[in-house]
Amino acid sequence: MAGWGEFKRGWRLILAATVGIGTGLTTMVFYTMGVFVPSLTKTFGWSDSQVMVAITIVLLGSSVVGPYVGALTDRIGARRVALGSVIGMGCAWALLALNTGSIAIFYATFTILTLCGAGTLPVTWTKSVIANFSERRGLALGICLIGTGLFGALIKLYAFYVMSAIGWRLAYVCIGAFVLCVTLPITFFFFREPRRALDTSAQAPGIAPEAGLGLREALRTRAFWILSASFFLLSLAISGIAPNLERFLTTSGFDLATAVRIAAWYGIGIVVGRLITGFCLDRMWAPGVVFLLMIPTMITFIVLAGGVSSVPVAMLMVFLVGSASGVEYDALAYLVSRYFGMRAYSAVYGSIFIGFAFGAGFGPVTFSKTFALTHSYHTLLFATAAVVLVGSGMLLTLGRYPRFDAARPGVAHPKAGSAWGVSSQENA
């Protein structure tokens, strides 16, 4: 039962982080875009790829401001950053309803949304979770990161049914209202800067917030660049299909309503993937966990390349792709904490997130443009399977976790023991 007391002390933090991540900037944009594409293209005559550029703006913008948000979080605390950003993002969503047909204004509004919502990126929420959990850190991250799956599925259906009832303009307003009425009060009442993250005298055994590498030291390590390249490739592959699911499914012969219901299984897959990943991270070597959990996804992309016509089969395939997305975020936060420590966690995470965001930003547009040129996803899905293999395989070169000494910040010591088996003491 060692380590379970952390959940008794930190359940409010977990709840707030789950909701905050689930309704954060990238989650909301990513999971609603496919729902809005048909209405926007019909109303304004834009192409699918033109609309998908908005995702690129959000994710590339996040990659630019991510390190600054991380540094700000390290400086003034996660709670202040989160509260200000939740308010700004909720208001920015409503601005999208005002567009009268200008694609430039559409892009500008998503730029504003990115700047306002950057403080809701996972780096803000996971900083407090990691600081408050030691022996069950992987599972704690897995639980709070299932927010993207839970709310991804919910917000996709919410946006679709609201848009069907009152139109896409008011649907954007309702998304903003959802953030202000749900995320804001939960953040205000439950998301607190953990005491042990601020006061070294209150540390639980094994949690040392000053131990680890600073950003400059991290940039000089091999692990930093391996993680950046690996998560660029993984996000490029997996993020490419997510906002294009509805279009992919409708071209496979499903009507839009059925396609939306099938696509919702992506979010359910994320939930399961994150819980499994979190459970495994506390017991096994994290790079190996990622590689093994990506194998079903590679197979899924190959199967999808051959086409799918059955609703149950389509649901299963979407579920498996979603589970891979569940692995990504969970593993990234955990890997940063284990290979670089907590000294500059937010700044290092934000910097590695640049690669992740670039991949996620170019993926959807690549899928849309390739389909526009070839009228088929066949070749692209085979290529995606190969990219997943390379991206996850790179992580296997990381080696054992280093050990950090709070008395000597910036110094990492190799950790003895098997790379695949991780004991509770090592996790502390």
Short mmCIF file of all heavy atoms in Angstrom, two decimals, residues 169-214:
data_model
loop_
_atom_site.label_atom_id
_atom_site.label_comp_id
_atom_site.label_asym_id
_atom_site.label_seq_id
_atom_site.Cartn_x
_atom_site.Cartn_y
_atom_site.Cartn_z
N ARG A 169 -21.87 29.06 -35.00
CA ARG A 169 -21.43 30.27 -34.30
C ARG A 169 -21.70 30.16 -32.80
O ARG A 169 -20.81 30.38 -31.97
CB ARG A 169 -22.15 31.50 -34.89
CG ARG A 169 -21.74 31.83 -36.31
CD ARG A 169 -22.42 33.11 -36.79
NE ARG A 169 -22.19 33.33 -38.20
CZ ARG A 169 -21.08 33.88 -38.72
NH1 ARG A 169 -20.12 34.27 -37.91
NH2 ARG A 169 -20.97 34.04 -40.03
N LEU A 170 -22.92 29.83 -32.45
CA LEU A 170 -23.26 29.71 -31.03
C LEU A 170 -22.58 28.49 -30.40
O LEU A 170 -22.37 28.46 -29.19
CB LEU A 170 -24.78 29.63 -30.85
CG LEU A 170 -25.52 30.94 -31.12
CD1 LEU A 170 -27.03 30.75 -30.94
CD2 LEU A 170 -25.02 32.05 -30.18
N ALA A 171 -22.22 27.52 -31.23
CA ALA A 171 -21.49 26.37 -30.70
C ALA A 171 -20.12 26.82 -30.18
O ALA A 171 -19.66 26.34 -29.13
CB ALA A 171 -21.32 25.30 -31.78
N TYR A 172 -19.46 27.74 -30.89
CA TYR A 172 -18.19 28.28 -30.41
C TYR A 172 -18.39 29.02 -29.09
O TYR A 172 -17.58 28.92 -28.16
CB TYR A 172 -17.58 29.21 -31.45
CG TYR A 172 -16.74 28.52 -32.50
CD1 TYR A 172 -16.93 28.77 -33.85
CD2 TYR A 172 -15.74 27.62 -32.14
CE1 TYR A 172 -16.17 28.14 -34.83
CE2 TYR A 172 -14.97 26.98 -33.10
CZ TYR A 172 -15.18 27.25 -34.44
OH TYR A 172 -14.41 26.62 -35.38
N VAL A 173 -19.48 29.80 -28.99
CA VAL A 173 -19.77 30.52 -27.76
C VAL A 173 -20.00 29.53 -26.61
O VAL A 173 -19.53 29.73 -25.48
CB VAL A 173 -21.01 31.43 -27.93
CG1 VAL A 173 -21.39 32.08 -26.60
CG2 VAL A 173 -20.74 32.50 -28.98
N CYS A 174 -20.69 28.44 -26.90
CA CYS A 174 -20.98 27.44 -25.86
C CYS A 174 -19.72 26.72 -25.39
O CYS A 174 -19.62 26.33 -24.22
CB CYS A 174 -22.00 26.44 -26.39
SG CYS A 174 -23.68 27.10 -26.53
N ILE A 175 -18.75 26.55 -26.29
CA ILE A 175 -17.48 25.95 -25.87
C ILE A 175 -16.77 26.87 -24.88
O ILE A 175 -16.26 26.43 -23.84
CB ILE A 175 -16.58 25.66 -27.09
CG1 ILE A 175 -17.17 24.51 -27.91
CG2 ILE A 175 -15.16 25.32 -26.64
CD1 ILE A 175 -16.44 24.23 -29.19
N GLY A 176 -16.76 28.17 -25.19
CA GLY A 176 -16.17 29.14 -24.26
C GLY A 176 -16.90 29.16 -22.92
O GLY A 176 -16.27 29.23 -21.85
N ALA A 177 -18.22 29.08 -22.97
CA ALA A 177 -19.02 29.07 -21.75
C ALA A 177 -18.72 27.81 -20.92
O ALA A 177 -18.69 27.87 -19.68
CB ALA A 177 -20.50 29.12 -22.10
N PHE A 178 -18.50 26.70 -21.59
CA PHE A 178 -18.17 25.45 -20.91
C PHE A 178 -16.88 25.61 -20.10
O PHE A 178 -16.79 25.20 -18.94
CB PHE A 178 -18.02 24.33 -21.94
CG PHE A 178 -17.82 22.97 -21.36
CD1 PHE A 178 -18.90 22.13 -21.13
CD2 PHE A 178 -16.54 22.50 -21.04
CE1 PHE A 178 -18.72 20.86 -20.59
CE2 PHE A 178 -16.36 21.24 -20.50
CZ PHE A 178 -17.45 20.42 -20.27
N VAL A 179 -15.88 26.24 -20.71
CA VAL A 179 -14.60 26.46 -20.03
C VAL A 179 -14.78 27.35 -18.80
O VAL A 179 -14.25 27.07 -17.72
CB VAL A 179 -13.58 27.09 -21.00
CG1 VAL A 179 -12.31 27.51 -20.26
CG2 VAL A 179 -13.24 26.11 -22.12
N LEU A 180 -15.55 28.42 -18.96
CA LEU A 180 -15.73 29.37 -17.87
C LEU A 180 -16.62 28.83 -16.74
O LEU A 180 -16.43 29.17 -15.57
CB LEU A 180 -16.32 30.68 -18.40
CG LEU A 180 -15.41 31.47 -19.36
CD1 LEU A 180 -16.16 32.67 -19.92
CD2 LEU A 180 -14.14 31.92 -18.65
N CYS A 181 -17.58 28.00 -17.10
CA CYS A 181 -18.53 27.49 -16.10
C CYS A 181 -18.08 26.18 -15.44
O CYS A 181 -18.54 25.85 -14.34
CB CYS A 181 -19.89 27.27 -16.75
SG CYS A 181 -20.68 28.79 -17.30
N VAL A 182 -17.20 25.43 -16.09
CA VAL A 182 -16.75 24.15 -15.54
C VAL A 182 -15.29 24.22 -15.09
O VAL A 182 -14.97 23.97 -13.92
CB VAL A 182 -16.94 23.00 -16.56
CG1 VAL A 182 -16.38 21.70 -16.02
CG2 VAL A 182 -18.42 22.84 -16.91
N THR A 183 -14.39 24.57 -16.01
CA THR A 183 -12.97 24.54 -15.70
C THR A 183 -12.56 25.59 -14.68
O THR A 183 -11.80 25.31 -13.75
CB THR A 183 -12.14 24.75 -16.98
OG1 THR A 183 -12.62 23.88 -18.00
CG2 THR A 183 -10.67 24.48 -16.73
N LEU A 184 -13.08 26.81 -14.84
CA LEU A 184 -12.66 27.91 -13.97
C LEU A 184 -12.97 27.66 -12.50
O LEU A 184 -12.07 27.78 -11.65
CB LEU A 184 -13.29 29.22 -14.45
CG LEU A 184 -12.91 30.47 -13.65
CD1 LEU A 184 -11.39 30.68 -13.67
CD2 LEU A 184 -13.63 31.70 -14.21
N PRO A 185 -14.21 27.32 -12.12
CA PRO A 185 -14.46 27.11 -10.69
C PRO A 185 -13.68 25.93 -10.10
O PRO A 185 -13.22 26.00 -8.95
CB PRO A 185 -15.97 26.87 -10.62
CG PRO A 185 -16.40 26.55 -12.01
CD PRO A 185 -15.45 27.25 -12.91
N ILE A 186 -13.52 24.85 -10.87
CA ILE A 186 -12.76 23.71 -10.36
C ILE A 186 -11.30 24.09 -10.16
O ILE A 186 -10.67 23.71 -9.16
CB ILE A 186 -12.90 22.51 -11.33
CG1 ILE A 186 -14.33 21.95 -11.25
CG2 ILE A 186 -11.89 21.41 -10.98
CD1 ILE A 186 -14.60 20.83 -12.22
N THR A 187 -10.74 24.85 -11.10
CA THR A 187 -9.37 25.32 -10.96
C THR A 187 -9.22 26.21 -9.74
O THR A 187 -8.27 26.10 -8.96
CB THR A 187 -8.92 26.08 -12.22
OG1 THR A 187 -9.05 25.23 -13.36
CG2 THR A 187 -7.47 26.54 -12.10
N PHE A 188 -10.17 27.12 -9.57
CA PHE A 188 -10.10 28.08 -8.46
C PHE A 188 -10.15 27.39 -7.10
O PHE A 188 -9.39 27.72 -6.19
CB PHE A 188 -11.25 29.09 -8.58
CG PHE A 188 -11.22 30.15 -7.52
CD1 PHE A 188 -10.40 31.27 -7.64
CD2 PHE A 188 -12.01 30.04 -6.38
CE1 PHE A 188 -10.37 32.24 -6.67
CE2 PHE A 188 -11.99 31.01 -5.39
CZ PHE A 188 -11.17 32.12 -5.54
N PHE A 189 -11.04 26.43 -6.94
CA PHE A 189 -11.25 25.82 -5.63
C PHE A 189 -10.31 24.63 -5.33
O PHE A 189 -10.00 24.37 -4.17
CB PHE A 189 -12.70 25.34 -5.49
CG PHE A 189 -13.69 26.48 -5.35
CD1 PHE A 189 -14.57 26.78 -6.38
CD2 PHE A 189 -13.71 27.26 -4.21
CE1 PHE A 189 -15.48 27.82 -6.26
CE2 PHE A 189 -14.61 28.31 -4.08
CZ PHE A 189 -15.49 28.59 -5.10
N PHE A 190 -9.88 23.91 -6.37
CA PHE A 190 -9.13 22.68 -6.12
C PHE A 190 -7.67 22.70 -6.55
O PHE A 190 -6.88 21.89 -6.06
CB PHE A 190 -9.82 21.50 -6.82
CG PHE A 190 -11.15 21.13 -6.22
CD1 PHE A 190 -12.17 20.65 -7.04
CD2 PHE A 190 -11.38 21.26 -4.87
CE1 PHE A 190 -13.39 20.31 -6.49
CE2 PHE A 190 -12.60 20.92 -4.31
CZ PHE A 190 -13.61 20.44 -5.12
N PHE A 191 -7.30 23.58 -7.49
CA PHE A 191 -5.93 23.55 -7.98
C PHE A 191 -5.07 24.47 -7.13
O PHE A 191 -5.11 25.69 -7.27
CB PHE A 191 -5.87 23.98 -9.45
CG PHE A 191 -4.53 23.71 -10.10
CD1 PHE A 191 -4.05 22.42 -10.22
CD2 PHE A 191 -3.76 24.74 -10.60
CE1 PHE A 191 -2.83 22.16 -10.83
CE2 PHE A 191 -2.54 24.50 -11.21
CZ PHE A 191 -2.08 23.21 -11.32
N ARG A 192 -4.31 23.87 -6.24
CA ARG A 192 -3.44 24.61 -5.34
C ARG A 192 -1.98 24.26 -5.63
O ARG A 192 -1.67 23.14 -6.00
CB ARG A 192 -3.75 24.27 -3.88
CG ARG A 192 -5.12 24.78 -3.42
CD ARG A 192 -5.09 26.28 -3.20
NE ARG A 192 -6.33 26.76 -2.59
CZ ARG A 192 -7.38 27.18 -3.27
NH1 ARG A 192 -7.35 27.13 -4.60
NH2 ARG A 192 -8.45 27.64 -2.66
N GLU A 193 -1.10 25.24 -5.42
CA GLU A 193 0.33 24.97 -5.53
C GLU A 193 0.68 24.03 -4.38
O GLU A 193 0.45 24.36 -3.21
CB GLU A 193 1.11 26.28 -5.38
CG GLU A 193 2.45 26.26 -6.05
CD GLU A 193 2.33 26.20 -7.56
OE1 GLU A 193 1.54 26.93 -8.13
OE2 GLU A 193 3.05 25.38 -8.15
N PRO A 194 1.14 22.81 -4.68
CA PRO A 194 1.41 21.87 -3.60
C PRO A 194 2.44 22.41 -2.61
O PRO A 194 3.45 22.96 -3.01
CB PRO A 194 1.96 20.63 -4.31
CG PRO A 194 1.90 20.90 -5.75
CD PRO A 194 1.51 22.31 -5.97
N ARG A 195 2.14 22.24 -1.34
CA ARG A 195 3.03 22.77 -0.31
C ARG A 195 4.44 22.20 -0.43
O ARG A 195 5.43 22.89 -0.28
CB ARG A 195 2.47 22.41 1.07
CG ARG A 195 2.94 23.32 2.16
CD ARG A 195 2.31 22.96 3.47
NE ARG A 195 3.28 23.22 4.51
CZ ARG A 195 3.40 22.49 5.60
NH1 ARG A 195 2.63 21.46 5.77
NH2 ARG A 195 4.28 22.80 6.51
N ARG A 196 4.51 20.91 -0.72
CA ARG A 196 5.82 20.29 -0.78
C ARG A 196 6.57 20.66 -2.05
O ARG A 196 7.73 20.38 -2.21
CB ARG A 196 5.73 18.77 -0.65
CG ARG A 196 4.88 18.09 -1.68
CD ARG A 196 4.95 16.59 -1.52
NE ARG A 196 4.58 16.18 -0.18
CZ ARG A 196 3.37 15.84 0.18
NH1 ARG A 196 2.38 15.88 -0.69
NH2 ARG A 196 3.11 15.46 1.40
N ALA A 197 5.87 21.29 -3.04
CA ALA A 197 6.60 21.77 -4.21
C ALA A 197 7.27 23.10 -3.93
O ALA A 197 8.14 23.53 -4.64
CB ALA A 197 5.65 21.92 -5.39
N LEU A 198 6.82 23.81 -2.85
CA LEU A 198 7.34 25.13 -2.55
C LEU A 198 8.25 25.13 -1.31
O LEU A 198 9.09 25.98 -1.14
CB LEU A 198 6.17 26.09 -2.30
CG LEU A 198 5.21 26.26 -3.48
CD1 LEU A 198 4.05 27.14 -3.06
CD2 LEU A 198 5.91 26.84 -4.68
N ASP A 199 8.05 24.15 -0.42
CA ASP A 199 8.75 24.13 0.85
C ASP A 199 9.55 22.83 0.97
O ASP A 199 8.99 21.77 1.14
CB ASP A 199 7.71 24.22 1.98
CG ASP A 199 8.36 24.19 3.35
OD1 ASP A 199 9.61 24.20 3.41
OD2 ASP A 199 7.61 24.15 4.34
N THR A 200 10.87 22.94 0.89
CA THR A 200 11.68 21.74 0.91
C THR A 200 11.60 21.01 2.24
O THR A 200 11.88 19.82 2.32
CB THR A 200 13.16 22.09 0.62
OG1 THR A 200 13.60 23.05 1.58
CG2 THR A 200 13.33 22.64 -0.76
N SER A 201 11.23 21.71 3.32
CA SER A 201 11.12 21.05 4.61
C SER A 201 9.92 20.15 4.68
O SER A 201 9.80 19.33 5.58
CB SER A 201 11.03 22.10 5.73
OG SER A 201 9.82 22.83 5.61
N ALA A 202 8.97 20.31 3.74
CA ALA A 202 7.75 19.52 3.75
C ALA A 202 7.78 18.41 2.73
O ALA A 202 6.77 17.84 2.39
CB ALA A 202 6.54 20.42 3.51
N GLN A 203 8.97 18.12 2.22
CA GLN A 203 9.06 17.13 1.15
C GLN A 203 8.75 15.72 1.62
O GLN A 203 9.20 15.30 2.69
CB GLN A 203 10.45 17.12 0.53
CG GLN A 203 10.82 18.39 -0.21
CD GLN A 203 9.80 18.72 -1.26
OE1 GLN A 203 9.48 17.89 -2.07
NE2 GLN A 203 9.29 19.91 -1.25
N ALA A 204 8.00 14.98 0.82
CA ALA A 204 7.86 13.55 1.05
C ALA A 204 9.17 12.90 0.65
O ALA A 204 9.94 13.44 -0.14
CB ALA A 204 6.70 13.00 0.21
N PRO A 205 9.46 11.72 1.17
CA PRO A 205 10.73 11.06 0.83
C PRO A 205 10.90 10.90 -0.67
O PRO A 205 10.00 10.42 -1.35
CB PRO A 205 10.60 9.70 1.53
CG PRO A 205 9.66 9.94 2.65
CD PRO A 205 8.68 10.96 2.15
N GLY A 206 12.06 11.32 -1.17
CA GLY A 206 12.36 11.11 -2.58
C GLY A 206 11.97 12.25 -3.49
O GLY A 206 12.32 12.26 -4.64
N ILE A 207 11.21 13.24 -2.98
CA ILE A 207 10.81 14.36 -3.81
C ILE A 207 11.71 15.54 -3.50
O ILE A 207 11.68 16.06 -2.39
CB ILE A 207 9.34 14.75 -3.59
CG1 ILE A 207 8.43 13.56 -3.86
CG2 ILE A 207 8.94 15.91 -4.47
CD1 ILE A 207 6.97 13.85 -3.61
N ALA A 208 12.52 15.95 -4.44
CA ALA A 208 13.45 17.06 -4.22
C ALA A 208 13.29 18.04 -5.36
O ALA A 208 13.83 17.85 -6.44
CB ALA A 208 14.89 16.54 -4.17
N PRO A 209 12.53 19.12 -5.16
CA PRO A 209 12.21 20.03 -6.25
C PRO A 209 13.40 20.74 -6.85
O PRO A 209 13.36 21.16 -7.98
CB PRO A 209 11.24 21.02 -5.61
CG PRO A 209 11.51 20.95 -4.15
CD PRO A 209 11.92 19.53 -3.89
N GLU A 210 14.51 20.87 -6.09
CA GLU A 210 15.67 21.57 -6.62
C GLU A 210 16.65 20.63 -7.30
O GLU A 210 17.64 21.06 -7.87
CB GLU A 210 16.39 22.33 -5.49
CG GLU A 210 15.53 23.42 -4.85
CD GLU A 210 15.03 24.42 -5.87
OE1 GLU A 210 15.79 24.78 -6.79
OE2 GLU A 210 13.87 24.84 -5.76
N ALA A 211 16.41 19.32 -7.21
CA ALA A 211 17.33 18.36 -7.82
C ALA A 211 17.05 18.25 -9.31
O ALA A 211 15.91 18.29 -9.75
CB ALA A 211 17.19 17.00 -7.16
N GLY A 212 18.11 18.09 -10.09
CA GLY A 212 17.93 17.93 -11.52
C GLY A 212 18.74 18.93 -12.31
O GLY A 212 19.58 19.68 -11.78
N LEU A 213 18.50 18.96 -13.61
CA LEU A 213 19.24 19.83 -14.52
C LEU A 213 18.47 21.11 -14.78
O LEU A 213 17.24 21.11 -14.86
CB LEU A 213 19.49 19.11 -15.84
CG LEU A 213 20.22 17.76 -15.79
CD1 LEU A 213 20.39 17.21 -17.20
CD2 LEU A 213 21.57 17.89 -15.10
N GLY A 214 19.20 22.20 -14.93
CA GLY A 214 18.61 23.42 -15.42
C GLY A 214 18.41 23.30 -16.93
O GLY A 214 18.89 22.35 -17.56
#
